[in-house]
Structure formats: C-alpha cells, structure tokens
Amino acid sequence: MNTASPDLKPIRAWKDVPAFDAEEAEVKFWAAHQLDARLMQSSIHRADVRESTTITLRFDPRMLSRIKRVARRRYLNYQSMIKQWLSERMEQELKD
C-alpha cells in the first residue's frame, strides 16, 4: 500500500531535511516534501532488552505482602511501583 502523494518528494533520510532559518522556509519545504513511510517506521522507538536489567532483591515476606497490598490499592504492578519509588528517591537524593 503506497500512501505517498505523487506531487510530494519523499524524504528517505533525516540528513535530507535541512536546517531551517525561518518558519516560512520550513513551511515551504514541507509543502513540497513528505517523510517516506520506511523512515517514519524506523524512527519509532522500540524497547530494547538491554534497556532493562534483571536483579534479585530479598524481602521479608511480610514487607513484600504489604508492598503488594499497597500496589493493588493503586492498581499498579508491585514491581513497577517499586521501580517508581526507587526512581523518585534517586531524584530526591540527586537534588540534595
């Protein structure tokens, strides 16, 4: 399925998009050009396995139970909630 307009020149590489000095120049450029579908598809961020590392933490069973209960009340996955808590605390530590 080709959705490209025949009167618009396709941009197949980001280097083909110039730096614009003015908004009018950018408007004129995009009136005559469009991004190629493959370029748009390749620009979509996909989660990479390497972006996440598995670790093991040991919790007291009662503490883990309480964490899970809090997470359920917030309609969250308990692991996601722990990551959120760690992230918030790290930001706080970096500010201090």
Side-chain angles (χ1 to χ4, degrees):
M1 176 173 132
N2 185 0
T3 59
S5 176
D7 51 341
L8 296 178
K9 182 179 177 190
I11 300 295
R12 293 190 172 90
W14 288 112
K15 65 178 178 55
D16 297 335
V17 179
F20 301 104
D21 294 331
E23 188 174 337
E24 295 80 24
E26 185 173 359
V27 168
K28 186 176 178 182
F29 178 84
W30 288 115
H33 298 81
Q34 69 180 4
L35 293 178
D36 184 76
R38 288 175 296 234
L39 181 60
M40 286 191 292
Q41 189 65 28
S42 70
S43 299
I44 297 172
H45 177 75
R46 291 173 183 82
D48 189 346
V49 173
R50 293 171 290 171
E51 290 182 14
S52 180
T53 302
T54 301
I55 64 167
T56 301
L57 294 174
R58 298 192 185 280
F59 285 98
D60 173 272
R62 289 173 298 208
M63 179 187 284
L64 182 57
S65 181
R66 290 167 54 202
I67 290 170
K68 288 180 177 181
R69 196 167 37 250
V70 170
R72 274 195 305 270
R73 280 198 315 254
R74 296 178 183 193
Y75 302 100
L76 295 171
N77 172 297
Y78 78 96
Q79 293 173 334
S80 297
M81 187 178 74
I82 291 170
K83 286 190 283 187
Q84 180 182 352
W85 285 351
L86 289 171
S87 177
E88 289 170 358
R89 180 58 188 256
M90 189 170 18
E91 290 298 316
Q92 179 184 349
E93 288 291 325
L94 292 173
K95 286 180 183 177
D96 295 343

